[in-house]
Amino acid sequence: NLEQALEVLRIGTASRTAGDNGFNATSSRSHAIFQVLLERRPPGGRASPSATRVSKLNLVDLAGSEKLRPDSSATGATLQELTCINLSLSALGQCISALVDQKRTHVPYRDSKLTRLLQDALRGR
């Protein structure tokens, strides 16, 4: 129901990591994906599976990529966060490139958790 969905969204938002990146004091340090699965059944209760409509809504907030400069103060966990963010954004870019290239037969959805979660949306299903 709506109240449960909003509570999950609130908890997820509170769990996100933010930090100073030199440009923005509250820069997002993580991606966020909120997926809602909607089912619509015909009235009357006894609907066949083929009469049920199912939709998936993805609300996605991606952390921005950042260049790692030699004079950067990023170390330890911050450096690992930046690396993971950049790798997942790169994997997303590779999937999109593969989807628009009609000569390619393989799309590397399994290269990151981000692209795996968004696989249905990326291929238009």
Side-chain angles (χ1 to χ4, degrees):
N1 70 29
L2 179 60
E3 290 79 24
Q4 288 174 327
L6 291 175
E7 178 63 12
V8 169
L9 185 58
R10 186 194 64 73
I11 292 168
T13 300
S15 300
R16 292 198 66 195
T17 305
D20 186 358
N21 66 359
F23 300 106
N24 181 351
T26 58
S27 176
S28 174
R29 307 303 326 134
S30 61
H31 304 311
I33 301 174
F34 183 69
Q35 292 184 327
V36 179
L37 187 64
L38 304 169
E39 289 187 10
R40 182 172 187 267
R41 296 183 183 113
R46 291 190 177 208
S48 69
S50 63
T52 301
R53 288 186 160 184
V54 179
S55 299
K56 187 189 299 186
L57 173 67
N58 292 297
L59 303 175
V60 181
D61 182 15
L62 299 175
S65 66
E66 296 183 25
K67 284 189 174 181
L68 296 174
R69 300 180 309 266
D71 62 337
S72 172
S73 61
T75 59
T78 304
L79 181 60
Q80 187 176 6
E81 285 176 354
L82 294 175
T83 302
C84 289
I85 289 168
N86 288 343
L87 286 173
S88 64
L89 290 173
S90 177
L92 178 60
Q94 290 171 9
C95 283
I96 292 169
S97 293
L99 286 166
V100 298
D101 185 352
Q102 295 182 0
K103 295 177 184 174
R104 290 187 61 178
T105 58
H106 173 71
V107 180
Y109 294 116
R110 294 184 180 176
D111 286 358
S112 80
K113 290 178 186 178
L114 175 67
T115 53
R116 185 70 179 109
L117 286 169
L118 296 176
Q119 180 175 352
D120 290 344
L122 289 170
R123 61 182 179 183
R125 293 186 184 181

